[in-house]
Amino acid sequence: PTMAHPQALLVLENFIGGKFVPCSSYIDSYNPSTGDVYCRVPDSGKEEVEAAVKAAKDAFPVWSSKSPLERSQILNKLADLIEHDLEAFAQAESKDQGKTITFARTVDIPRAVHNFRFFASSILHHVTECTEMPTMGCVHYTSRAPVGVAGLISPWNLPLYLLTWKIAPAIACGNTVVAKPSEMTSVTAWMMCKLLEKAGVPPGVVNVVFGTGAKAGEALVCHPDVPLISFTGSTLTAQRITERSAPHCKRLSLELGGKNPAIVFDDADLSQCIPTTVRSSFANQGEICLCTSRIFVQRGIYSEFLKRFVAEAKKWKTGNPSDPTVDVGALISKEHLEKVRNYVKKAQAEGARVLCGEGVDPLALPPGNQKGYFMLPTVIAEVKDESCCMQEEIFGPVTCVVAFDTEEEVIKRANGVKYGLAATVWSGNVGRVHRVAHRLQSGLVWTNCWLVRDLNLPFGGMKASGIGREGAKDSYEFFTEVKTITIKH
Ligand code: NAD
């Protein structure tokens, strides 16, 4: 395959035991905004995973015996180094993923930096439990220790952001890791590897193996020396990972898809709600697991909401992701764009109304982006709750708006999907937002805002949206093994 490509292609290498190692075969990676192959990603399999797990296992005794403070200093150093190269990382993320440069600059890379700083700090502040049993003359306490080699598998939508959300807590707790980013977005992980030595991360503590889920991902999931797997991706892949890891009884953290509702009551402040809900529907091309895709609006304000919402959505500019004035970049791949478009077609065939975007408005693209995977923000109304557009995760710039009458009714309808990741409630009535938030089947509920996160608190989904939570305490618990010790005096 090497001869088929011009020299100028970026060629990635696996990072194993502190060294970059070439691979015997490669996969093409596309620039979604032009449709051109621009990078070659190692097509790793069992052999590469085996070498990476061995390196991680060898590095474990020394890394796990370092004090939390020593590890914390290294994580902070790594954060500084990524921040120093923020612009280069943002450019790479935008080119590799199709996301806008503005989103990469303001969300993806700053958050990757923050992930390291956050866990560098939080690891210093954990306390374990202790109880006394005076009548037995005993005290009990718990101690926590790192588990070993952690397998980390991440998706393509927020590449470095989500990968570092796993690497940071895993190594802060004293584990060593083998990470496998998505084969479609591997570049920023590879760039991060170049900074590890300078940050003081010893060889073998962070290993990155690039390749597909079916080959590299499964080899990692099936490896007997990897006792825990932290996975973010689709529900379908999570089922496969659960099956493949079952013979080893592995510890799993699964952060999966969503079909997130926004509920807009008639006393909502629409001047806040509308721009935020447009953002929650279309940010990062709608390719965020937390994006809103079902908007329930109380009947009294339904037509006003629709009118204002569509007008706001039309303000979002779609085009070359490297243009800082652009709001919507390219979708991840040709296949994904086709899948997202098909949902709009299906909705139309069922009698729903497409109010703006796909098939309704013209999409004008710069000459260099004609072959890119672009699509306009699309708003669909009058969709039935049982329609696939209201039930399945679309993961693109498509949102459905429907009317409701009562609180009771909307809770039932909002809960009427297999997913349960994030919900948004808009109302000026404090009693109501609490009441509704408690009854929604959702791991996260935002009221009168969206995507405001405190990393201290649990993140994760219910139902088909996942198993387990991540956050300061939750990640610490996931990435450590607890022991209860009883002392009789
Ligand atoms: P995906 O499940 O196709 O792939 C995710 C990762 O798993 C990739 O690295 C892939 O190579 C790997 N993989 C695929 N098959 C595998 C297998 N059999 N064994 C091991 N690894 C395998 O997901 P995607 O398309 O990359 O990402 C989009 C999905 O991720 C959406 O469903 C989205 O909602 C979800 N997501 C969830 C969260 C969250 O925190 N809940 C965050 C972001 C994305």
Side-chain angles (χ1 to χ4, degrees):
T2 325
M3 281 156 60
H5 300 289
Q7 290 282 307
L9 291 186
L10 180 63
V11 181
L12 309 189
E13 290 179 322
N14 288 325
F15 188 73
I16 299 173
K19 292 197 176 69
F20 285 98
V21 194
C23 192
S24 54
S25 63
Y26 289 84
I27 317 163
D28 287 339
S29 182
Y30 293 79
N31 174 339
S33 73
T34 62
D36 297 330
V37 173
Y38 90 105
C39 169
R40 311 186 66 220
V41 175
D43 183 14
S44 311
K46 272 194 184 138
E47 201 182 307
E48 291 77 12
V49 168
E50 183 64 48
V53 172
K54 185 175 180 307
K57 229 178 135 178
D58 290 348
F60 182 74
V62 171
W63 182 248
S64 59
S65 60
K66 283 194 189 297
S67 72
L69 185 60
E70 278 176 282
R71 293 196 292 257
S72 169
Q73 282 161 346
I74 292 172
L75 263 69
N76 274 322
K77 185 80 201 288
L78 182 56
D80 293 346
L81 292 170
I82 297 173
E83 192 171 50
H84 180 266
D85 291 349
L86 193 142
E87 183 57 25
F89 272 98
Q91 296 279 356
E93 204 73 296
S94 169
K95 186 170 182 181
D96 201 22
Q97 206 274 340
K99 65 178 67 229
T100 66
I101 185 65
T102 306
F103 200 83
R105 269 181 195 144
T106 57
V107 181
D108 287 82
I109 311 305
R111 173 61 188 273
V113 171
H114 186 59
N115 285 337
F116 284 113
R117 291 211 176 112
F118 179 82
F119 286 104
S121 162
S122 78
I123 195 65
L124 303 176
H125 305 291
H126 293 293
V127 286
T128 53
E129 297 151 297
C130 177
T131 60
E132 285 184 82
M133 252 183 195
T135 56
M136 301 295 290
C138 287
V139 291
H140 308 274
Y141 69 92
T142 59
S143 84
R144 284 196 170 263
V147 186
V149 179
L152 313 177
I153 301 177
S154 57
W156 48 256
N157 63 330
L158 300 165
L160 193 65
Y161 171 138
L162 288 173
L163 190 66
T164 54
W165 174 240
K166 299 182 186 305
I167 293 178
I171 66 172
C173 290
N175 301 283
T176 55
V177 310
V178 176
K180 196 211 78 68
S182 167
E183 61 276 27
M184 287 185 272
T185 53
S186 296
V187 174
T188 49
W190 172 77
M191 288 169 70
M192 182 194 71
C193 293
K194 297 195 209 176
L195 304 177
L196 294 174
E197 187 181 352
K198 199 167 172 197
V201 179
V205 171
V206 175
N207 305 277
V208 182
V209 172
F210 298 102
T212 65
K215 258 174 87 179
E218 286 220 15
L220 186 55
V221 167
C222 296
H223 199 293
D225 293 337
V226 179
L228 74 179
I229 300 285
S230 173
F231 169 78
T232 299
S234 66
T235 303
L236 207 63
T237 306
Q239 286 165 352
R240 175 89 182 155
I241 288 178
T242 306
E243 279 172 24
R244 303 297 280 160
S245 61
H248 306 279
C249 293
K250 294 196 181 194
R251 186 186 297 192
L252 300 179
S253 169
L254 305 172
E255 298 284 356
L256 315 177
K259 189 67 194 171
N260 310 307
I263 302 176
V264 185
F265 287 99
D266 58 12
D267 60 353
D269 175 355
L270 291 187
S271 68
Q272 297 279 327
C273 169
I274 286 172
T276 305
T277 310
V278 167
R279 193 163 58 84
S280 74
S281 298
F282 304 125
N284 205 48
Q285 300 71 244
E287 295 168 331
I288 306 181
C289 54
L290 306 167
C291 274
T292 304
S293 63
R294 298 179 293 144
I295 307 173
F296 295 91
V297 183
Q298 207 158 19
R299 193 151 330 256
I301 57 164
Y302 180 69
S303 37
E304 186 200 347
F305 179 94
L306 259 192
K307 205 167 98 215
R308 288 171 61 180
F309 187 81
V310 168
E312 187 72 24
K314 283 184 162 184
K315 286 188 200 157
W316 278 47
K317 185 172 158 191
T318 303
N320 189 347
S322 62
D323 174 350
T325 67
V326 159
D327 307 290
V328 183
L331 273 68
I332 185 69
S333 67
K334 207 171 179 170
E335 295 71 29
H336 188 58
L337 174 65
E338 225 25 65
K339 185 182 145 193
V340 176
R341 282 193 170 139
N342 273 331
Y343 275 105
V344 182
K345 286 197 195 110
K346 279 187 213 165
Q348 273 169 319
E350 288 171 2
R353 272 198 309 142
V354 180
L355 300 177
C356 66
E358 175 67 17
V360 176
D361 299 306
L363 171 58
L365 293 167
N369 299 106
Q370 299 291 329
K371 290 196 186 131
Y373 318 133
F374 293 91
M375 178 174 166
L376 291 168
T378 300
V379 181
I380 311 180
E382 280 133 52
V383 200
K384 294 199 177 64
D385 284 9
E386 56 280 9
S387 156
C388 61
C389 286
M390 287 285 280
Q391 292 291 324
E392 295 168 20
E393 183 183 49
I394 300 176
F395 220 55
V398 177
T399 199
C400 299
V401 189
V402 294
F404 75 91
D405 292 294
T406 68
E407 182 178 313
E408 195 61 32
E409 169 206 336
V410 78
I411 291 170
K412 198 158 167 249
R413 290 172 67 190
N415 288 340
V417 292
K418 69 172 182 172
Y419 294 107
L421 186 56
T424 312
V425 182
W426 292 89
S427 166
N429 179 329
V430 177
R432 171 143 71 194
V433 295
H434 280 291
R435 211 162 52 229
V436 174
H438 279 278
R439 292 184 60 198
L440 288 172
Q441 294 167 347
S442 183
L444 305 147
V445 182
W446 279 296
T447 76
N448 299 319
C449 62
W450 179 70
L451 209 60
V452 181
R453 284 270 295 125
D454 177 349
L455 304 191
N456 281 297
L457 298 189
F459 176 93
M462 308 186 170
K463 295 157 75 180
S465 292
I467 294 179
R469 296 291 184 271
E470 295 179 331
K473 185 161 175 281
D474 296 85
S475 298
Y476 176 63
E477 288 175 357
F478 179 75
F479 285 112
T480 56
E481 192 77 78
V482 69
K483 191 181 287 176
T484 302
I485 299 170
T486 303
I487 309 287
K488 185 163 165 59
H489 49 82

